[in-house]
Amino acid sequence: MSEYIQITNDYLQRIRNDSICQEYFRQKELVTKQYPELKKQIDEYRERNFKLQNETDSDRLFDETDRFEREYEDFRKNPIVNDFLAAELAFCRMYQELEAYIGEAFARDFDLSK
């Protein structure tokens, strides 16, 4: 195994041990094992939300988002759902931050204009 692969594996393990990841993994396991039907509903919610954010015309996005939020208002009040989605959001934000940081670092390293 090359050195950079080993370094990457070590880096990933440290990230997996981070409290944000641990909470997401804990919530995911809880919902998957103890509430499989609720997990299906959460997945449907997540899929519809993803499509809303990525496929809706910008002119209609506000109205469609408002409708979507009203439709799922009671669903989101369920503490199990809310805790899972909050943990997932924190995990996604962490991932986005890491990805942006790495991308910017590589962009600086390969910038030939300097």
Side-chain angles (χ1 to χ4, degrees):
M1 179 182 304
S2 68
E3 183 178 357
Y4 66 88
I5 296 294
Q6 184 58 50
I7 291 168
T8 302
N9 283 334
D10 293 345
Y11 171 69
L12 291 172
Q13 190 55 49
R14 289 184 70 162
I15 291 170
R16 287 182 184 113
N17 289 334
D18 182 85
S19 61
I20 292 172
C21 285
Q22 289 296 308
E23 179 61 14
Y24 171 66
F25 296 147
R26 189 180 75 73
Q27 290 293 333
K28 184 177 178 183
E29 183 175 4
L30 172 79
V31 171
T32 301
K33 289 185 177 180
Q34 293 186 21
Y35 305 98
E37 288 302 315
L38 186 58
K39 175 68 166 76
K40 289 177 187 176
Q41 293 173 347
I42 291 170
D43 288 344
E44 179 184 298
Y45 168 86
R46 292 164 65 228
E47 182 178 348
R48 289 189 62 202
N49 188 38
F50 179 83
K51 286 179 179 178
L52 174 69
Q53 299 298 321
N54 291 288
E55 297 176 3
T56 304
D57 295 332
S58 59
D59 296 338
R60 295 183 10 238
L61 185 57
F62 180 79
D63 291 336
E64 291 296 319
T65 300
D66 189 50
R67 184 191 57 72
F68 179 79
E69 288 175 358
R70 280 193 315 270
E71 180 180 344
Y72 280 97
E73 185 175 5
D74 289 339
F75 180 70
R76 290 293 312 266
K77 287 180 183 177
N78 181 326
I80 297 163
V81 172
N82 189 60
D83 290 351
F84 173 82
L85 293 173
E88 181 182 56
L89 179 60
F91 177 79
C92 289
R93 286 185 174 156
M94 181 193 71
Y95 180 84
Q96 290 169 338
E97 185 178 350
L98 290 169
E99 184 179 44
Y101 182 79
I102 291 169
E104 289 170 13
F106 276 113
R108 283 191 306 271
D109 288 346
F110 292 103
D111 186 2
L112 302 177
S113 63
K114 294 180 182 180

